[in-house]
Structures are given as C-alpha cells and as structure tokens.
Amino acid sequence: MFSVAACDTAAAMLTFEDFYSPINGILFKVMQEMASGGIAIDAMTLSEQLISRGMLGEVGGIEYIVQLLEKVPHAEHIAHYCKTVRRKSQRRQLIVASAEIEKVARDETSNVKEVAASIAERVDQIFYGTNQSLKPAPIVVEAYRASKLVKIDSIKTGIPDLDSALMGGLKPGLVLFAARPSMGKTALMMNVSYAAAKAGLPVSIFSIEMTANELMDRVASRGKGALEEFESLPIYIDDDTAEFEQLKMQIRASVRKNRSKIVFIDYLDEIEVSTHRKADDNQVITHIMKGLRKLRKSLGITIVLVCQLSRKVEDRPDKRPRLGDLRGSGRLEQSADVVIGLYRPSYYDKEDRPGEADIMVMKQRGGPRNVTIRCEFNDDRTEFVPIGQMLAEKEYEFRDGF
C-alpha cells in the first residue's frame, strides 16, 4: 500500500488527529505503528493487524480497506497529499479554536493580555507547530538538503567590516547589542535599521526606553532630508509595548502584517514580565531569553535585543566589554547566537581616540569571534561611520569569557 519512504514522510507531516474521518485516523495510526515496527504495509498485513487488535469491524471491514486500495494515488506525490490533509485540518482547528476563544473572551474575569497571548500561541501552534517532534533521519537529511538550496540573504549592517566579520551580515537568530550606557547601543540599532530598510527589508523597532519622537530627534540630527528619507523606508516603530507577552504578540503581528525580517527591542531591562513579579533578575532574564529564542525560531527572523552590561566594567582598568559582563551572563550568553559589544575609549578618557568607537564581535555561533571593527562615531549625528579597520583577536587580550 505504501513504501517505507512514503510512510516516513506522512509520519513526519501528519498525526492521526489531522484526518476528518475517525476511521482514516485509526488506519493511519495503525500503519504508523506497523512502519515503526518494520512490518510491511499492504491490504493483507493491515487487515491482520486490525483483526489482532479487534478493530477490523470498527474501520468498516476488509471492504473499506479494499476501497482505499483502489483509490490510492501515486506514492511519489505523498508530500503533496499530506499538505492537503494538513491544510484542511488547520481550517478545522481554526474553527474550533475560534469558538473557544470567543467563550474565553466573553468571560469578564479573564485577563485580556493573557487571552491575547494565548490566542497568538494557539494560532502559531496550528500553523507553525510541528506535528511530530521526532523525525526519522531521511526526513531530517532531506530537509537539510532542501535548506541548502534556498539562499538566505544576510542582513547588511551598513558597516562593511562588520558584515565581513559576520560572514556576510546578520542571519536569522537572536542577537545582542551589549554595552555600558552612552556607548551608542541605540545609535548602532538605528544604523543597522537604516541599512536593512534601504535594502528593502521591513524592519520593526520596539522602543521601550525611548519614545518615537526621541528616536526621530536622532534621525533629524543626521541632517537635511534625513526625516524625508526615513519616512520612505519600511520601518515600523512601537514605543508603547513593554509587557513581554504583549510584546511577543506584537512581534508576531508585525511579521505577519508587515513581513518584518528583523526586529529590534530596546532594551532588555525595560521589558516587563508580569507573571514573574516575585522572581529575581536571573529568573526574569531566563524567561525572556527562552521566550525570544522560541519566538525567533518559529518566525524565522532576526531578533536584536539591546542590553546593558553590568557595573563591574567600571571597576577594572580595561573597560572593554567581555561576555562575563552580561547581566545574568550565563543565560544571555547561552541563548544568543551573536553578541556584539560597543566601546568608546574617549568616554573614559577624552584624549583616548576621540571620535572613535570599537564594535566587537564577542560571540558568533558557527563563525569567527574576538574581532574588533574600528569606526568613527559622530556623537552629534549619533552615527557610526566605517573607517575600514578590522583588528584580529591578538590586537587585544581578552581573558574573561573567551
């Protein structure tokens, strides 16, 4: 009835609950178990399995199995047929979910934000959730090969040397921009936003610390025509959302509505986590980072989280950032795919390289790290300007976290 490969494909794409007919769902589940046990599947073996389980009559007898055999399409098109079954299943799940959502929404005792977050997660699960977390090796390899055929465009940062250090630019993942206050974290965020938007990629900025007007002050400081240029770009700003569950919901909405490819959150310490009021900082950070990693994975986007380094930087002679300076460093460092640090020596000593800044790739999963890019930093225009100087690891001696 089905080849082993066809059974593996169907098992990876569907569950028995995806079938509208309970009988077909039962047959699918039994065939799954047969395939897992190495039992060949045809009319005879399937009937024997159903008889041994006392289920043959429940599925309509041998006659129904024969009818199915007569209607079996080509096995090589199994993926297409599975997608059709899955799509119809999603529609039915949406109908059921909408009724449940209406019931909860009408309950005046329910928390509106929690209901909204629950709705978003339910929809995500229907459309983006995997039907089966364990996939056979052939399916994993096939998906891997297919992924290599799809060109993933890196997101340019507007600083060529930084793009080189990042092997072409930012990739889908979770990125940290980390520094002490007044180092230029928001300026770097705006730099990268500009570059991405100019390349035609929709950008979403969730500015929790600064208002949209304050961001526009920074844009206007770039000179004549800066505001006009900015309003022509596909950049979307939310300066109103701070609560974490609502923030995740707004990110999902922006990705669906605006097709955002990169999302900026400015910044970590200002995110409110209402369900963890009594938790300590490390527990809150762990909750946020787990949520963002899950979100970026389900949406396939780049999330850039701006965060502040701990005060212990100020207690040592060398003020350059290190991974160990991250607040709750274990969780932040572990969760991030890329960590980019910022350092302006003239902030501490006005005579030390005034007007310059170091952009430091401190961590990069699967890529080079301990790379420093020197830039000009225009404080009046809050802008990083590349000067074409990249320093290898040996230029600086890092001991903590490398």
Side-chain angles (χ1 to χ4, degrees):
M1 182 176 284
F2 286 112
S3 67
V4 173
C7 288
D8 286 343
T9 299
M13 297 179 69
L14 299 171
T15 72
F16 72 94
E17 294 172 328
D18 284 318
F19 291 87
Y20 177 74
S21 165
I23 291 175
N24 290 344
I26 291 171
L27 290 174
F28 181 80
K29 188 174 183 180
V30 171
M31 287 190 289
Q32 265 190 307
E33 293 170 0
M34 291 172 65
S36 298
I39 302 172
I41 302 173
D42 56 29
M44 183 65 69
T45 57
L46 179 57
S47 297
E48 289 173 353
Q49 285 290 317
L50 291 167
I51 291 170
S52 68
R53 302 177 190 212
M55 299 171 67
L56 185 61
E58 188 178 341
V59 299
I62 188 68
E63 295 81 6
Y64 185 69
I65 295 175
V66 172
Q67 288 178 20
L68 285 181
L69 270 175
E70 294 173 351
K71 298 178 180 179
V72 169
H74 295 292
E76 59 265 28
H77 298 151
I78 187 70
H80 172 74
Y81 304 136
C82 287
K83 287 179 182 177
T84 300
V85 172
R86 178 64 180 153
R87 193 161 51 244
K88 292 182 180 295
S89 172
Q90 288 170 337
R91 289 185 181 278
R92 293 194 300 274
Q93 290 180 65
L94 275 177
I95 292 170
V96 173
S98 63
E100 293 174 355
I101 289 165
E102 181 181 4
K103 182 179 178 180
V104 175
R106 290 182 181 277
D107 182 359
E108 294 292 338
T109 65
S110 62
N111 183 296
V112 175
K113 290 183 179 178
E114 290 179 359
V115 171
S118 176
I119 292 171
E121 289 182 7
R122 182 72 177 271
V123 172
D124 272 354
Q125 184 60 34
I126 291 173
F127 285 97
Y128 305 111
T130 54
N131 300 309
Q132 195 138 326
S133 57
L134 286 174
K135 300 180 179 66
I139 298 301
V140 175
V141 173
E142 181 183 353
Y144 172 77
R145 286 172 175 157
S147 72
K148 293 302 177 183
L149 297 176
V150 179
K151 186 176 182 296
I152 299 177
D153 292 326
S154 299
I155 298 174
K156 303 300 182 184
T157 65
I159 302 171
D161 282 342
L162 180 56
D163 292 337
S164 297
L166 295 171
M167 301 183 297
L170 294 172
K171 312 295 191 300
L174 182 55
V175 180
L176 300 183
F177 285 176
R180 288 295 293 153
S182 301
M183 289 294 148
K185 299 184 294 294
T186 301
L188 181 61
M189 177 187 79
M190 296 303 290
N191 256 64
V192 179
S193 298
Y194 260 99
K198 285 180 179 178
L201 299 177
V203 175
S204 292
I205 299 174
F206 292 86
S207 181
I208 307 174
E209 182 184 27
M210 301 175 66
T211 67
N213 282 344
E214 289 171 326
L215 288 180
M216 290 306 97
D217 284 338
R218 294 192 172 211
V219 172
S221 71
R222 296 192 171 200
K224 185 179 180 180
L227 287 173
E228 288 74 15
E229 180 185 37
F230 186 87
E231 66 181 350
S232 70
L233 298 174
I235 298 177
Y236 305 87
I237 297 176
D238 180 332
D239 64 354
D240 190 48
T241 303
E243 201 279 321
F244 187 50
E245 294 304 320
Q246 189 177 5
L247 178 65
K248 290 193 295 181
M249 183 177 67
Q250 294 292 357
I251 291 172
R252 290 189 189 98
S254 182
V255 171
R256 293 195 187 104
K257 182 180 178 181
N258 304 320
R259 307 297 184 198
S260 296
K261 299 299 182 185
I262 182 168
V263 171
F264 294 88
I265 304 171
D266 188 11
Y267 70 106
L268 172 63
D269 288 356
E270 297 294 331
I271 297 176
E272 300 170 3
V273 183
S274 58
T275 57
H276 282 66
R277 289 192 182 100
K278 297 180 180 179
D280 61 32
D281 284 350
N282 285 337
Q283 289 174 313
V284 170
I285 288 173
T286 296
H287 178 72
I288 291 172
M289 296 305 287
K290 281 184 176 180
L292 291 179
R293 278 202 68 81
K294 182 179 178 182
L295 185 64
R296 79 91 190 157
K297 185 177 179 181
S298 68
L299 298 177
I301 60 173
T302 303
I303 295 179
V304 178
L305 177 63
V306 178
C307 62
Q308 196 158 286
L309 297 177
S310 69
R311 293 179 181 274
K312 65 182 180 181
V313 174
E314 313 298 333
D315 298 332
R316 62 174 186 257
D318 185 357
K319 311 295 186 185
R320 294 184 184 90
R322 304 170 183 173
L323 286 177
D325 297 327
L326 292 167
R327 286 186 55 214
S329 58
R331 172 53 63 180
L332 284 172
E333 181 182 345
Q334 178 184 341
S335 298
D337 297 294
V338 175
V339 180
I340 295 175
L342 291 172
Y343 172 64
R344 290 200 294 127
S346 61
Y347 178 80
Y348 297 101
D349 181 353
K350 292 182 180 179
E351 303 303 318
D352 188 1
R353 294 168 49 209
E356 289 189 6
D358 291 343
I359 301 176
M360 306 159 64
V361 180
M362 301 195 295
K363 175 188 175 181
Q364 182 175 192
R365 210 182 296 276
R369 58 179 184 168
N370 303 346
V371 179
T372 297
I373 295 91
R374 282 189 173 173
C375 294
E376 290 181 2
F377 181 73
N378 189 318
D379 204 359
D380 293 333
R381 293 166 58 95
T382 60
E383 182 179 19
F384 289 89
V385 181
I387 59 177
Q389 190 172 5
M390 185 188 302
L391 305 179
E393 177 180 1
K394 63 183 180 181
E395 297 288 341
Y396 295 132
E397 185 177 0
F398 298 105
R399 297 190 183 278
D400 184 6
F402 288 88

